[in-house]
């Protein structure tokens, strides 16, 4: 069998949606990353006993079950679909799950089908699958919240901000610690230019999912954009154990160091700035030299992880001038 094949508001040096060649290259990388994450998540979910166990941290995982032929050693239709997913045959998996939900729909199959259709860019059918899942999960707030969040993500990616916000808000009414929904609200606030609200949403998402680096990086990106380099650097340094392999983390960290270095060179070290430097491990003696060393180290790490990052060369040239 063959394998499967909003707003345009722009701000400098931010990994938002945007337009142009650099943004197109970023989107292509993000789609590939999303596909790898989806496939990896499905494998982990299967090993843990259900895909939604990934969303319901500390909660339940849906039972994949065995029935009919599966009990005698042959894979069920659902398990066959999951096998297709683990090897990247997403269109075959979608067809298999569509047969499952047409014969005997269940919440899990509908949600996974929605994820597949979303990845295959069949928005209309993906929305339909998520909405059916939300309706069927009426007695299970956590699962319903997860399905609403996936629906909100789909609307957000398609530029439908209103429906996305509505879905995220409903998801948070059902589970106020739903990190994905909190993050989604941050994206919407950021897109609307409400940076302070967006930072608050991202920090709430980071608190709800301490192992997740993306909300921290988004918050730091906004803080850097506001010139609050000290706060951004502190936020990033506190999450350094999560950002080792995250290219955007190192980019934003380098921007923070660059901003602090420019401040030190222009204004010296005030008592307030000294506190921030101490919080990120920069000794008071020769802070300019140490900040530049740290910034260049972050740039080197970024180059190792993503040599094509659109902000890499401009940032490096600016640092050379300092």
């Amino acid at each position: 069998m063959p394998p499967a094949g909003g707003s345009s508001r722009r701000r400098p040096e931010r990994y938002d949606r945007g337009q142009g060649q650099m943004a197109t290259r970023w989107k292509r990388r993000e789609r590939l990353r999303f596909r790898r994450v989806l496939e990896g998540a499905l494998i982990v979910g299967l090993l843990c006993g259900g895909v939604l166990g990934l969303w319901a941290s500390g909660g339940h995982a849906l039972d994949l079950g065995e029935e009919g032929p599966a009990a005698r050693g042959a894979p069920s239709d659902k398990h066959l679909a999951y096998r297709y997913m683990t090897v990247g045959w997403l269109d075959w998996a979608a067809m298999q799950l569509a047969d499952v939900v047409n014969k005997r729909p269940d919440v899990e199959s509908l949600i996974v089908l929605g994820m597949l259709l979303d990845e295959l860019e069949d928005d209309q059918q993906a929305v339909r699958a998520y909405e059916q899942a939300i309706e069927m999960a009426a007695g299970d707030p956590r699962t319903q919240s997860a399905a609403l969040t996936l629906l909100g993500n789909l609307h957000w990616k398609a530029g439908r901000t209103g429906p996305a916000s509505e879905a995220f808000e409903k998801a948070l009414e059902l589970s106020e610690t739903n990190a994905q929904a909190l993050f989604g609200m941050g994206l919407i606030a950021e897109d609307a230019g409400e940076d302070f609200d967006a930072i608050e949403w991202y920090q709430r998402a980071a608190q709800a999912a301490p192992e997740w680096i993306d909300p921290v990086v988004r918050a730091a990106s906004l803080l850097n954009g506001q010139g609050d380099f000290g706060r951004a650097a502190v936020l990033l340094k506190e999450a350094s154990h999560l950002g080792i392999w995250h290219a955007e983390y190192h980019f934003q960290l380098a921007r923070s160091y660059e901003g602090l270095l420019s401040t030190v060179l222009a204004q010296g070290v005030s008592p307030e700035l000294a506190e921030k430097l101490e919080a990120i491990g920069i000794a008071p003696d020769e802070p300019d030299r140490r900040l530049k060393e740290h910034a260049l180290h972050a740039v080197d790490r970024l180059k190792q992880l993503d040599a094509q990052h659109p902000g890499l060369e401009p940032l490096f040239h600016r640092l050379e001038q300092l």
Side-chain angles (χ1 to χ4, degrees):
M1 295 180 185
S7 168
S8 61
R9 185 171 177 271
R10 290 282 290 153
R11 300 183 190 179
E13 296 191 355
R14 284 258 291 281
Y15 64 125
D16 52 22
R17 288 180 289 177
Q19 297 174 355
Q21 184 178 2
M22 289 183 177
T24 300
R25 189 166 57 220
W26 178 83
K27 290 176 187 175
R28 191 179 303 118
R29 291 202 309 270
E30 283 297 293
R31 283 196 59 80
L32 178 60
R33 184 183 67 83
F34 175 80
R35 178 164 180 163
R36 288 173 177 168
V37 168
L38 172 62
E39 293 168 0
L42 289 168
I43 295 171
V44 173
L46 289 170
L47 294 174
C48 292
V51 173
L52 288 187
L54 297 167
W55 285 79
S57 58
H60 61 280
L62 297 182
D63 183 11
L64 292 174
E66 292 273 351
E67 57 183 70
R72 297 188 294 272
S76 67
D77 289 343
K78 186 187 296 188
H79 281 77
L80 188 57
Y82 290 156
R83 289 186 181 182
Y84 288 149
M85 284 186 281
T86 60
V87 295
W89 297 0
L90 303 187
D91 52 350
W92 284 88
M95 288 188 289
Q96 194 74 35
L97 275 181
D99 286 341
V100 171
V101 300
N102 284 333
K103 295 173 184 175
R104 199 169 111 182
D106 64 273
V107 174
E108 180 190 329
S109 295
L110 285 164
I111 290 179
V112 178
L113 177 60
M115 293 171 69
L116 289 167
L117 293 168
D118 183 2
E119 176 63 11
L120 293 168
E121 300 184 341
D122 190 343
D123 276 18
Q124 185 176 0
Q125 293 302 318
V127 168
R128 182 181 175 189
Y130 287 144
E131 288 179 342
Q132 283 184 262
I134 292 163
E135 185 177 351
M136 287 192 70
D140 185 346
R142 186 179 287 271
T143 299
Q144 199 174 33
S145 179
L148 279 161
T149 304
L150 287 165
L151 178 61
N153 286 336
L154 186 154
H155 284 313
W156 165 252
K157 288 188 295 181
R160 299 186 289 267
T161 304
S165 180
E166 182 181 353
F168 291 140
E169 288 172 358
K170 288 181 178 178
L172 290 170
E173 288 174 5
L174 293 165
S175 176
E176 61 183 14
T177 58
N178 183 330
Q180 292 277 351
L182 291 165
F183 185 77
M185 292 299 292
L187 292 174
I188 290 172
E190 181 180 347
D191 192 63
E194 300 168 354
D195 288 1
F196 290 102
D197 288 342
I199 291 169
E200 183 178 348
W201 285 116
Y202 291 143
Q203 289 187 309
R204 287 179 60 187
Q207 290 169 2
E211 74 290 348
W212 190 20
I213 188 63
D214 286 3
V216 175
V217 174
R218 299 288 309 206
S221 172
L222 290 175
L223 290 168
N224 280 330
Q226 294 173 353
D228 196 347
F229 303 110
R231 187 177 167 196
V234 170
L235 202 63
L236 291 165
K237 289 294 285 184
E238 288 176 348
S240 60
H241 61 293
L242 301 174
I244 297 173
W245 300 101
H246 196 286
E248 191 66 27
Y249 168 87
H250 293 281
F251 176 62
Q252 296 302 332
L253 185 60
R255 287 187 65 202
S256 300
Y257 287 136
E258 177 199 11
L260 289 170
L261 175 57
S262 297
T263 302
V264 168
L265 293 174
Q267 304 173 14
V269 181
S270 65
E272 181 182 0
L273 181 56
E275 288 184 12
K276 292 178 179 177
L277 293 176
E278 183 179 357
I280 60 173
I282 300 293
D285 57 312
E286 298 185 287
D288 49 345
R289 179 178 63 83
R290 294 177 184 275
L291 282 167
K292 188 166 185 177
E293 288 175 354
H294 280 65
L296 290 172
H297 181 270
V299 168
D300 286 343
R301 185 62 178 144
L302 170 62
K303 189 173 183 179
Q304 292 171 7
L305 294 171
D306 184 3
Q308 301 302 315
H309 191 287
L312 175 60
E313 289 302 321
L315 175 58
F316 179 72
H317 291 311
R318 290 198 305 270
L319 286 171
E320 284 187 321
Q321 303 303 314
L322 292 176

